[in-house]
Amino acid sequence: MNHRYCATLLAVLLLSSVHAARCAVPAATPATTAEATAPANRWAIAIHGGAGESEWEHMDLATAAAYHDSLARALSAGSAVLKRNGKALDAVEAAVEVLEDDPLFNAGRGSAFAADGKNEMDAALMDGATLAAGSVADVQFTRHPVALARAVMDHTAYVMMVGPGADAFSLAQGLEQQPPSFFFNEMRWQEFAAIMRASGRPVPARPPGVPPPATPAGTASHAANIFMHRFGTVGAVARDNEGHLAAATSTGGMQGKLPGRVGDSPLIGAGTYASNHSCAVSGTGVGEYFIRLTLARQVCSLVEQGQTPQQAADHMIHSELPALKGGEGGVIVLAPTGDPVWSSNTLGMFRAREVAGSAPEIHVK
Ligand code: ASP
């Protein structure tokens, strides 16, 4: 363990305990009506902001603090819904929208770029109570792709819409539209440019409306190398006071992907799944492996067969996923009873959880 890594870890631990102390619910605080009537399977929520390797090796204290604050904001947006007796489905959507708005994460604003320099965003959500689901892939203009997935679920007879048809549906639904420059993030572009150069492919022109880079290309590409092995997808799983489960995932996908490539995040059963009979799952990692393993559904199948959520998650992430060479990533999992759990086979995974009556728990590593 090197010195820098120890310093980061220490700072993160300190930050986590400060935040936990700030957010802790004193024992004497009177319960709200919702909390007072909560069944044994009380409300709970977990979120993730991606997993990976290099970013965690090189993360400085300021970056760790920024991630910590973002996760805290997203967790609190989701738990606020559950505290007022709202639905798990609304909680996961609220949490994911906060992460989509944050350029630190590879979803919504801050999304990765396809090889043609465009953002093609994927998102899904699923209602564990009804098995209703909605998803979108390769959308380019919707500020909150997860809200578009919700609109597909609520306002069509379909589960999934893709590309220009999904963009047109988004407009027709009155969802907020934004130009490519809104989603653009310089760090993410430099990471993308480095990946394109490393794979011998041309770096396309910057998106329309985006100014030239402030730093010389050589410096930026060097900086980008430290971020080349990470997955910044975001997701959430929640259980409401009625005991219903939900899951949501949103991503810009893999940097430098061929236009038209779709990952696991919007595929029900691969990167996203929820059923009240087993569990809710949101994943992050190399999507192609999650798709081939139908990983999210497999975690829930193992729970149905009697494994604990932790056992099921660990089996898929530490045995099945790496058994396919290159299978890397992590999941957050929540069952009808018990606390949210997580598992990852990478150096780090941004994640956080909160359960009714307990302080939030936030992990930047
Ligand atoms: N799973 C996502 C995908 O393959 C990437 C990620 O998790 O960051 O599109």
Side-chain angles (χ1 to χ4, degrees):
M1 204 183 278
N2 66 35
H3 173 72
R4 198 160 175 197
Y5 171 75
C6 289
T8 303
L9 190 58
L10 183 63
V12 167
L13 287 171
L14 282 170
L15 284 166
S16 297
S17 52
V18 166
H19 183 79
R22 208 187 318 141
C23 300
V25 180
T29 301
T32 63
T33 311
E35 284 164 340
T37 56
N41 52 347
R42 62 209 194 282
W43 69 256
I45 183 166
I47 61 173
H48 71 79
E53 304 287 342
S54 303
E55 186 156 14
W56 281 264
E57 283 166 12
H58 298 273
M59 195 182 307
D60 59 29
L61 295 182
T63 307
Y67 275 110
H68 183 280
D69 286 355
S70 291
L71 290 168
R73 267 198 314 278
L75 190 69
S76 134
S79 61
V81 173
L82 300 168
K83 280 176 188 164
R84 58 173 184 262
N85 218 14
K87 289 180 176 177
L89 200 58
D90 294 328
V92 293
E93 185 180 345
V96 166
E97 284 190 2
V98 170
L99 296 168
E100 286 178 336
D101 273 342
D102 193 327
L104 282 176
F105 300 99
N106 171 18
R109 197 168 207 180
S111 280
F113 297 92
D116 59 1
K118 293 181 178 165
N119 299 121
E120 294 187 341
M121 300 172 284
D122 302 341
L125 83 180
M126 186 163 186
D127 181 356
T130 60
L131 300 190
S135 80
V136 291
D138 292 347
V139 295
Q140 293 187 23
F141 307 106
T142 305
R143 175 176 168 186
H144 294 124
V146 73
L148 181 53
R150 178 73 183 263
V152 171
M153 181 182 125
D154 287 346
H155 303 302
T156 77
Y158 317 132
V159 168
M160 186 169 199
M161 294 183 72
V162 305
D167 282 328
F169 174 70
S170 178
L171 194 60
Q173 285 289 308
L175 297 180
E176 184 175 338
Q177 308 293 299
Q178 291 291 348
S181 57
F182 172 86
F183 299 99
F184 183 89
N185 169 268
E186 190 64 47
M187 183 279 287
R188 193 82 63 216
W189 181 265
Q190 296 304 334
E191 170 189 276
F192 161 70
I195 286 171
M196 294 300 282
R197 281 194 283 269
S199 57
R201 294 181 289 169
V203 179
R206 292 159 75 86
V210 170
T215 52
T219 312
S221 84
H222 170 72
N225 282 333
I226 68 172
F227 292 113
M228 281 179 71
H229 198 52
R230 67 180 296 267
F231 318 109
T233 290
V234 306
V237 293
R239 180 179 66 226
D240 58 33
N241 275 329
E242 306 245 306
H244 298 313
L245 299 178
T249 312
S250 183
T251 188
M254 304 293 284
Q255 285 279 34
K257 64 188 178 182
L258 286 180
R261 178 263 186 187
V262 176
D264 59 309
S265 310
L267 298 184
I268 299 303
T272 307
Y273 190 76
S275 165
N276 281 4
H277 298 297
S278 50
C279 64
V281 179
S282 173
T284 176
V286 187
E288 283 67 19
Y289 298 89
F290 280 63
I291 294 170
R292 281 181 272 179
L293 290 169
T294 56
L295 195 137
R297 180 68 183 93
Q298 277 300 107
V299 170
C300 292
S301 296
L302 294 174
V303 170
E304 276 166 25
Q305 288 159 31
Q307 293 198 17
T308 66
Q310 190 69 66
Q311 287 168 336
D314 286 344
H315 176 73
M316 292 309 298
I317 295 298
H318 292 292
S319 296
E320 302 284 344
L321 197 55
L324 300 181
K325 197 166 157 29
E328 284 181 85
V331 285
I332 51 174
V333 182
L334 180 61
T337 57
D339 292 352
V341 300
W342 40 56
S343 186
S344 82
N345 63 17
T346 54
L347 186 58
M349 178 168 162
F350 298 119
R351 62 205 189 279
R353 64 184 164 193
E354 187 175 354
V355 174
S358 302
E361 196 186 311
I362 297 161
H363 297 266
V364 172
K365 183 172 183 311

